[in-house]
Amino acid sequence: MGWRSVIISQHAKLSYASHLMVVQTRDGINQVPIEDVQLLLVSTTQAVITTALLSELAKQNAKVVFVDRNMQPNCELVNNYPNNRSVDLLIDQFNWSQKRKELLWTKIVHEKIKNQIQVLQIYKHETEELSGELEKLEVNDLTNREAVVARKYFPLLFEQEKFSRRSGSAVNAALNYGYSILLSMFDREIVERGYLTYLGIHHRNNENQFNLGSDLMEPFRPVVDYWVANQDFTELTPDVKYGLIDALNIEITYCEHHMLLRNAISKYVGDCLKYLSGQSKELELKMELNHEVPNNALINHV
Amino acid sequence: MRLLIMFDLPVETSKQRKAYRHFRKDLINQGFTMIQYSVYVRVCVNRKSAEFIEKKVSNFLPEAGVIQSLMLTEKQYNDMHFLLGKEKEDVRNYSGRTVIL
C-alpha cells in the first residue's frame, strides 16, 4: 500500500500516534500516515524512534533502514512473521525446482546485461562488445558472462579505463548507497509475500541474509548506474543520496507498461516468486529505461 | 489525487458533539489533514485508492448533518487560488513521493 519514501536527515524523535508517524524535529512536528510509508530511511544517528512506531511500520510492511556513522545504510528492519507466511509456503520455497531456479537466473542475467547495454546506449557508448558477450550466455550463466560484462561495463560507463568497483571513490560510494536502498526494497517485497530472504537461487553466501533479494535485484542495478552516470559530483553529499532515493520514482517500462520503478519492483518480485513456486508456467521479464521526464513529475507528483 | 471532505455537523446536544468529535478523530486516523475548519484533505496515489478511502469514510459517518466529498486531481488542487492566507505547510498536504524531514 505504501508509496512514499521518508528520509529523516536531522536530529529527530519519531513516535506513533493515531495511525500517524509523528516526527519531531527542531523545525516543528510533522505527521505522516503510517500506511503511506513504504520506505523510512533514518539517515542520521541522532534520532530516537519508539518501539510502538517500529512495530506499526512492520505491520504495514514498510521498510525501515538505518545508517552508520558514515551515513551509509547498514541495517534494516525485517518482519519476523508476516501474517501470510505459512509452513506450506516455506516448504515450497525450500523445494523450488532446480530447473526453474536455473532458468530464472539465466533470464535475470540476460535482463541485467540487456539493461546495462541500454544504459550505455543512452549515454552513447560503444556496446558491440557487450552484445557479443550477451550472445554467449548459457543456461545458468555457467561461463559467468555476468562478471565478464560487468568488468567491461563500468569502465565504459564512467569513462575511466582503470575504474574499479573496489576503490573508495565517490561514484562507488553512490553506487553502493543506491544498491543498498534498492536491495532493501526487494527484501520488503519478498517478506511481504511471505517468503524468506535467506534462500537465494544463485547467491548462497552464508553471511548474507538477503540472498534472494540480491538475486532478484540484479536487472534493476543498471537503473542506479543510469542515475549515477547522469550526475556530476566529487563527493557523496546528502543531495546525491536524496536523489538516489528519489530514483525509486523513475518511470520505466516493465512488460510494456509504463510504471514507477517502485511499482515495477513490486510486480517483478511477484512474477518471479510465482514462477519459482510453479503458479505460473511462463515468465516474461522485460524492462526498459525511459530516458525522458516522467508524466508524474510534470503534474506535481502522485 | 486529492480527496476532500467537507462537513457541517450539528453541535447542539452533547450527543451530537460527541458524534462530531468521533468523526473528526476518525478522519485524522485515516490520514486526513485539516486545511480549514470542517474541510479535510488527503493525498491518495490514484483514483482507485481515493475511492477506497471514501468508502472507508462512509463507514464512520455520524447520524445527522451534511458531509460532502470531492475528488480532485493534483493539477486541479494546485490550481486553487488563495485569495487570503497561505497554504498549510504539512507533510500530509504534500504529494511528493520522497519526503525529507
Side-chain angles (χ1 to χ4, degrees):
Chain A
M1 278 287 279
W3 50 276
R4 215 163 219 185
S5 313
V6 181
I7 307 165
I8 308 297
S9 61
Q10 53 173 323
H11 192 64
K13 185 189 174 198
L14 290 83
S15 56
Y16 172 79
S18 57
H19 299 265
L20 297 165
M21 175 170 82
V22 183
V23 185
Q24 295 176 41
T25 62
R26 231 167 286 155
D27 312 329
I29 295 180
N30 282 296
Q31 293 160 314
V32 188
I34 297 263
E35 53 181 28
D36 288 357
V37 181
Q38 189 178 28
L39 174 74
L40 169 66
L41 177 71
V42 185
S43 184
T44 168
T45 44
Q46 288 190 308
V48 285
I49 183 164
T50 64
T51 45
L53 176 64
L54 283 178
S55 84
E56 286 299 326
L57 285 166
K59 219 186 267 170
Q60 289 293 332
N61 289 310
K63 186 49 100 180
V64 186
V65 180
F66 298 98
V67 298
D68 60 14
R69 264 194 235 174
N70 303 321
M71 302 300 148
Q72 282 284 347
N74 75 337
C75 65
E76 60 184 63
L77 188 68
V78 185
N79 287 13
N80 231 349
Y81 305 106
N83 47 19
N84 55 350
R85 178 176 293 159
S86 61
V87 181
D88 284 348
L89 193 84
L90 291 186
I91 292 173
D92 185 47
Q93 181 173 8
F94 277 90
N95 294 329
W96 279 341
S97 87
Q98 190 59 31
K99 198 179 142 213
R100 275 182 190 243
K101 281 198 259 185
E102 286 177 2
L103 282 177
L104 180 60
W105 180 243
T106 320
K107 282 197 181 194
I108 284 175
V109 173
H110 183 267
E111 211 52 34
K112 180 187 182 185
I113 298 178
K114 228 183 70 202
N115 291 340
Q116 287 174 327
I117 292 174
Q118 212 200 336
V119 172
L120 289 175
Q121 278 168 349
I122 286 175
Y123 294 119
K124 313 224 164 14
H125 296 292
E126 267 306 314
T127 55
E128 255 172 53
E129 208 179 340
L130 298 197
S131 306
E133 297 293 345
L134 182 58
E135 274 161 33
K136 288 187 220 154
L137 181 69
E138 289 177 39
V139 172
N140 208 19
D141 194 20
L142 284 173
T143 52
N144 210 359
R145 288 299 106 186
E146 189 200 1
V148 174
V149 169
R151 190 176 287 170
K152 292 177 181 165
Y153 162 79
F154 284 107
L156 262 176
L157 182 60
F158 296 107
E159 291 162 3
Q160 298 166 22
E161 255 174 45
K162 289 212 175 95
F163 185 87
S164 150
R165 278 286 291 129
R166 287 177 200 283
S167 79
S169 69
V171 167
N172 271 324
L175 290 178
N176 293 340
Y177 197 89
Y179 294 156
S180 52
I181 297 295
L182 205 58
L183 175 62
S184 62
M185 289 298 290
F186 277 85
D187 297 335
R188 195 194 89 89
E189 296 296 339
I190 292 165
V191 175
E192 192 183 319
R193 284 175 169 75
Y195 290 90
L196 290 176
T197 55
Y198 298 84
L199 275 178
I201 54 173
H202 179 81
H203 287 78
R204 54 183 62 190
N205 185 342
N206 236 341
E207 278 151 40
N208 183 0
Q209 311 175 41
F210 305 122
N211 283 318
L212 185 54
S214 312
D215 284 328
L216 297 184
M217 76 180 281
E218 291 295 350
F220 290 80
R221 282 178 192 263
V223 182
V224 175
D225 308 338
Y226 159 75
W227 190 90
V228 172
N230 198 17
Q231 310 292 316
D232 189 19
F233 57 88
T234 47
E235 218 182 313
L236 185 58
T237 56
D239 280 349
V240 177
K241 293 177 187 170
Y242 302 154
L244 277 164
I245 293 158
D246 206 32
L248 289 171
N249 304 322
I250 288 179
E251 203 177 79
I252 65 165
T253 311
Y254 176 70
C255 292
E256 272 139 45
H257 292 290
H258 287 291
M259 42 177 113
L260 298 186
L261 179 63
R262 62 193 334 146
N263 299 338
I265 290 175
S266 171
K267 175 118 191 356
Y268 162 85
V269 171
D271 288 350
C272 287
L273 291 172
K274 265 188 207 147
Y275 178 73
L276 284 168
S277 57
Q279 287 171 34
S280 62
K281 283 198 180 119
E282 286 293 318
L283 177 69
E284 199 200 350
L285 305 177
K286 220 172 117 198
M287 57 169 287
E288 264 171 65
L289 288 159
N290 310 337
H291 192 50
E292 56 190 43
V293 181
N295 199 23
N296 64 312
L298 298 175
I299 53 158
N300 288 305
H301 316 295
V302 179
Chain B
M1 205 78 205
R2 301 275 180 153
L3 179 61
L4 210 67
I5 301 279
M6 299 160 282
F7 59 80
D8 247 337
L9 298 178
V11 282
E12 268 131 43
T13 66
S14 79
K15 206 177 155 199
Q16 286 173 339
R17 282 193 292 273
K18 187 177 178 189
Y20 154 76
R21 285 196 308 272
H22 274 267
F23 178 68
R24 198 188 100 90
K25 189 76 204 259
D26 286 340
L27 275 184
I28 291 169
N29 281 348
Q30 288 301 329
F32 282 86
T33 180
M34 187 179 91
I35 54 168
Q36 282 195 18
Y37 284 123
S38 310
V39 182
Y40 286 70
V41 77
R42 194 199 200 291
V43 183
C44 307
V45 218
N46 49 33
R47 183 167 285 271
K48 224 173 172 182
S49 77
E51 280 162 7
F52 177 67
I53 290 168
E54 189 186 41
K55 214 177 219 170
K56 276 205 209 163
V57 172
S58 58
N59 285 336
F60 56 75
L61 300 176
E63 277 168 13
V66 184
I67 299 174
Q68 286 156 299
S69 81
L70 182 62
M71 277 175 213
L72 296 163
T73 66
E74 217 44 47
K75 173 98 174 55
Q76 289 164 338
Y77 187 80
N78 279 309
D79 283 346
M80 183 162 57
H81 296 286
F82 282 82
L83 302 181
L84 183 68
K86 273 193 195 135
E87 202 177 345
K88 269 262 159 76
E89 279 188 24
D90 189 307
V91 182
R92 283 175 294 174
N93 198 13
Y94 167 72
S95 60
R97 283 176 182 262
T98 306
V99 180
I100 302 167
L101 295 175

